[in-house]
Amino acid sequence: AKLMGFGHRVYKNYDPRAKIVRKIADDVFEVIGREPLIEIAMELEKVALNDPYFKDRKLYPNVDFYTGVIYKAMGFPTDMFPVLFTIPRTAGWLAHWKEFLDDPENRIVRPRQNYKGARRADYVPISERQEHPVGLDAITTGTLKRRNVAVISQ
């Protein structure tokens, strides 16, 4: 089982960014107030920070836990959370991509997915679309990546 908003693959102790966002959450609550779900989230945080299960596994609330609580307090629908979590990450993703392109040896390798679907498709209104699987392939060697970058940059 996985509890979303807790733990981080890089920060094995409390995420230093989470402390900053936690303070911002308190500032937001001062202005907007709290609702029952926010109270539950804050109680969950309190329990997790003191529970041996979480402490032994170094599972601390992360940035997404607090930003999700802030978004909820601001009235964003939960369906919008993935988009809201993605927007600030875009700058980092673009920076990683630029680093990769600027490195002549392409030593900076980050996971990627390659779209395997149709290269060109005409627009079809949503009401007329049929479901079909989208093919993604994440298996790419470093040599192939360098070759693809070299071909694209020529």
Side-chain angles (χ1 to χ4, degrees):
K2 188 171 186 176
L3 181 59
M4 303 308 286
F6 283 80
H8 191 278
R9 64 181 179 79
V10 173
Y11 300 112
K12 297 305 175 197
N13 292 306
Y14 201 90
D15 181 346
R17 303 167 307 161
K19 290 180 183 181
I20 296 165
V21 180
R22 172 66 163 100
K23 172 69 174 103
I24 293 169
D26 289 335
D27 294 345
V28 169
F29 300 149
E30 270 186 42
V31 174
I32 296 176
R34 293 179 185 237
E35 60 173 61
L37 282 177
I38 302 299
E39 293 298 335
I40 291 170
M42 294 295 95
E43 188 61 29
L44 177 61
E45 172 204 36
K46 200 181 306 179
V47 168
L49 289 175
N50 295 302
D51 187 281
Y53 177 87
F54 286 87
K55 289 169 87 171
D56 292 347
R57 289 165 179 77
K58 299 182 186 269
L59 295 173
Y60 302 101
N62 61 34
V63 170
D64 288 341
F65 176 82
Y66 295 115
T67 53
V69 170
I70 291 169
Y71 294 151
K72 183 69 178 163
M74 294 173 71
F76 284 101
T78 312
D79 291 351
M80 286 291 297
F81 285 15
V83 173
L84 294 169
F85 290 145
T86 300
I87 291 169
R89 286 176 166 88
T90 305
W93 293 338
L94 290 172
H96 292 167
W97 174 70
K98 185 171 177 352
E99 279 179 342
F100 178 76
L101 293 179
D102 290 346
D103 180 4
E105 307 256 335
N106 296 121
R107 289 175 306 209
I108 302 170
V109 178
R110 310 218 187 260
R112 65 194 265 179
Q113 293 179 331
N114 298 321
Y115 177 69
K116 295 288 197 181
R119 292 288 173 206
R120 186 183 183 302
D122 294 324
Y123 176 78
V124 178
I126 292 175
S127 61
E128 298 173 22
R129 294 180 191 175
Q130 296 178 3
E131 282 197 38
H132 58 84
V134 175
L136 290 175
D137 177 21
I139 301 171
T140 304
T141 66
T143 304
L144 184 55
K145 288 178 190 177
R146 286 189 288 280
R147 188 178 308 130
N148 288 344
V149 170
V151 170
I152 292 169
S153 61
Q154 290 178 353

